[in-house]
Amino acid sequence: MLEAHDLAGRRGHADLFAGVGFRLAAGEALVVTGPNGTGKTTLLRMLAGLSAPAAGEIRLNGNKVAPYSQELRSSVAYAGHLPALKDELTAEENLSSLVQLAGAPVAVPELRAALDAVALGRRRNLPARVLSAGQRRRIGLARLAVLRRPVLVLDEPATALDAAGIDLLAKLVHEHLDRGGVAVLATHQSLGLEPERVRSLVLGG
Amino acid sequence: MAATAPPGVEAAFGAGGDGALAGLRWAVARDLRLAMRSRAELGVQLLFYVIVVALFPLSMTPERNLLATMGPGVLWVAALLASLLSLPRLFATDHADGTLEQIALSPYPLEALIAGKVLAHWLTTGLPVALLAPLLALQYYLDGESVGVLVAGLLLGTPILSLLGAVGAALTLGLRGGGGSLLALLILPLYVPVLIFGAGAVDSVRAGLGATANLSLLGAGLALALVGTPFAAAAAVRIALD
């Protein structure tokens, strides 16, 4: 479903990695690990379509995809380091806005259920400004759950989450894989994924 | 925001027409809502415009003819500065909190989303500036016809300021700290034709020549800017994100 051949990543004049390749079938996850500065974020941004690989190609459902291609933009849900939340908007408004931006239909009951699921139901009318870093992360989890895109690309998704938050993240990824989606995760958390459906990639090793 | 029923992802693919419109609506609605949540900042920009315009008559001989000659130019320069004042934040806050990445990755065309942001910028800066102009023109003894032409010129010209400004704002995105002053250096020269035709329209009315030529040129400029700048700004945003 998602494959990469001979990818090379460069940041400025530094070559980060070269010859990276993988193939993910439906229901499989790629876990990317490696020391800081070895190009995990760079690789994930390529897969999301935010930057062009220095060499190599990415294929989605067999088709070669370029950065910002319509196919990538409609199948990938990307969550980077930055939460993409507006301090002035409430938790629910932020979620609604992001879901709408992703072109998905907005149903208020569904949004509220998603916020309930990440234990933010009672705080949905609070401005994002007053939420903690972990709670802001949880809005991001709710967004991924509502969007149900076939490809998840998550950069350090466990940052700032507490134990219950990590359980929510693990549940989200599990359900996503069970539905036949694929996921690319840059994380050192195990998330309790079954070894048979995890491919791992170690950068800088 | 729930009032605007967005088409599903499938519809967003289409020929781009539906998707573009939905994207534009999303950006306008969101940016207007954010602007309403921080009304104080909007007030500061408008107050800045009012004060700059009000300072000139105080600093010179309050002679009718002199003021009427200078008035249109002063109003236009103040409008330009007011537009410039709010430009650095057009993309910078979205860039800083990661929203810009999600905007660029949206299935809606990036050009349409940017056009929506620019429209919201104009509605919150250019439009109030144009609407306040008749009131401020009183200080400069401008006659009714001149005021009408001044407002028409501002209504045609301020959207060009927002559109050109968006390209500058997108180009200066990656810069730390100094983005604002570089943006001014980059954009102010591009504002010159708008200033010349806008202030010139009022001058030609006062000289009895009619404002048609100047206003038509502003209209043509607006049409050109509408077609070109969203694409240029979109390209600059993608470069900033890479």
Side-chain angles (χ1 to χ4, degrees), chain A residues 11 45 48-52 68 70 72-74 76 78-90 93 96-98 100-106 108 143 149, chain B residues 1-2 4-10 12-13 26 30 33-34 37-38 93-99 101-110 113 237-239 241-242:
Chain A
R11 216 54 211 146
R45 289 176 69 89
L50 279 168
S51 59
Y68 296 108
Q70 187 64 262
L72 275 180
R73 284 188 291 141
S74 54
V76 177
Y78 170 73
H81 289 277
L82 299 165
L85 299 179
K86 289 285 158 197
D87 282 347
E88 299 93 326
L89 301 183
T90 66
E93 285 168 342
S96 158
S97 173
L98 285 169
Q100 213 173 350
L101 176 63
V106 173
V108 175
R143 165 179 157 258
R149 293 276 182 88
Chain B
M1 230 175 262
T4 58
V9 176
E10 309 78 35
F13 296 147
W26 178 87
R30 191 200 66 138
R33 175 181 288 208
L34 287 174
R37 295 283 159 94
S38 43
T93 47
D94 281 343
H95 188 43
D97 65 24
T99 313
E101 286 174 354
Q102 298 301 338
I103 287 176
L105 291 176
S106 161
Y108 299 133
L110 181 55
L113 292 164
V237 163
R238 290 191 179 123
I239 291 170
L241 288 175
D242 192 8

Side-chain angles (χ1 to χ4, degrees), chain B residues 84-163:
Chain B
L84 193 66
L85 200 62
S86 54
L87 272 177
R89 286 201 327 278
L90 184 59
F91 296 117
T93 47
D94 281 343
H95 188 43
D97 65 24
T99 313
L100 200 60
E101 286 174 354
Q102 298 301 338
I103 287 176
L105 291 176
S106 161
Y108 299 133
L110 181 55
E111 293 78 10
L113 292 164
I114 286 177
K117 287 183 72 67
V118 175
L119 179 55
H121 177 261
W122 179 72
L123 287 172
T124 49
T125 59
L127 185 61
V129 158
L131 296 180
L132 274 175
L135 200 64
L136 297 175
L138 285 177
Q139 279 187 302
Y140 290 90
Y141 300 105
L142 288 178
D143 58 83
E145 196 188 359
S146 300
V147 171
V149 169
L150 176 70
V151 173
L154 282 169
L155 284 176
L156 282 172
T158 46
I160 308 181
L161 304 181
S162 297
L163 286 163

